[in-house]
Amino acid sequence: MDRAAEDLTARARIRDAAIKLFGERGIEGASIRDIAAEAGVSSGLVRHHFGSKEALRDACDRYAKERMMQIGAELTQDGDLTGLDPLALHPIAFPLQLYLVRSMMDGSETATALFLEGVDAVEAWAAGYGITPKDPRGYAAALAAIKLSVLILRDQVSKALGEDITTPAGYNRIGQALMEVFTIPLLTPEQIDKIRKQEK
């Protein structure tokens, strides 16, 4: 392997290790030394490629955002999510989702921007399918937040299910449950009309 390819591979390993540890521990909880050990490189090589932990975090933010947007585009290109397989998605998407949720909690502007883009996408999707909530933006924000809350409350959700949702099987189970939350109506059209009339 030539030096350029070797450096690229090392950089990607460092980035992936940082995404994993930042997602699990938060930015403050993962040191350069921890990340280097996870990636199987020296701390000096981490600094050579990224300079500082903040610069590494910025690189992780950009990569995670771009990759999740790519995955989202691939999943929604035909507008049909019924064939979505959370089990197949787990090894690719879960580390990125966990990282981005933790990054949002740690105040990342990039991660927050991705959330807002996700809200935009849900709002456009709903409009495209003729879904007409009273407050389209509120509806979209609520759906996006519900999906993220499962990861934020992953310890509590895992205890409720008796199964770790960070594992492929647990991730698949909660993913299927979320699909049902989003597709099984809680109220009949008549009940919805009654509620809306009472609100007027």
Side-chain angles (χ1 to χ4, degrees), residues 66-77:
E66 290 168 6
R67 187 70 181 102
M68 283 305 298
M69 289 182 71
Q70 181 184 31
I71 291 169
E74 291 168 359
L75 291 175
T76 58
Q77 61 184 350

Side-chain angles (χ1 to χ4, degrees), residues 4-31:
E6 186 177 341
D7 281 353
L8 182 62
T9 301
R11 183 180 176 87
R13 284 208 319 272
I14 293 165
R15 180 202 63 217
D16 291 348
I19 285 173
K20 179 178 184 289
L21 294 185
F22 286 157
E24 291 173 352
R25 306 177 188 176
I27 304 301
E28 295 302 320
S31 68

Side-chain angles (χ1 to χ4, degrees), residues 131-143:
I131 299 170
T132 56
K134 184 177 179 181
D135 178 356
R137 189 65 176 177
Y139 173 86
L143 281 185

Side-chain angles (χ1 to χ4, degrees), residues 47-135:
R47 295 191 185 281
H48 166 73
H49 280 293
F50 295 97
S52 67
K53 188 160 78 166
E54 280 305 311
L56 174 56
R57 175 204 178 154
D58 289 342
C60 290
D61 276 358
R62 288 192 303 273
Y63 173 79
K65 177 185 175 185
E66 290 168 6
R67 187 70 181 102
M68 283 305 298
M69 289 182 71
Q70 181 184 31
I71 291 169
E74 291 168 359
L75 291 175
T76 58
Q77 61 184 350
D78 60 359
D80 181 11
L81 298 180
T82 56
L84 181 62
D85 181 2
L87 196 58
L89 199 58
H90 178 270
I92 303 166
F94 178 73
L96 297 173
Q97 291 172 322
L98 191 59
Y99 169 80
L100 286 166
V101 166
R102 191 58 187 253
S103 199
M104 283 179 212
M105 293 168 67
D106 286 342
S108 162
E109 292 182 6
T110 301
T112 298
L114 182 61
F115 174 76
L116 294 177
E117 288 174 23
V119 174
D120 292 341
V122 172
E123 191 172 6
W125 170 82
Y129 275 84
I131 299 170
T132 56
K134 184 177 179 181
D135 178 356

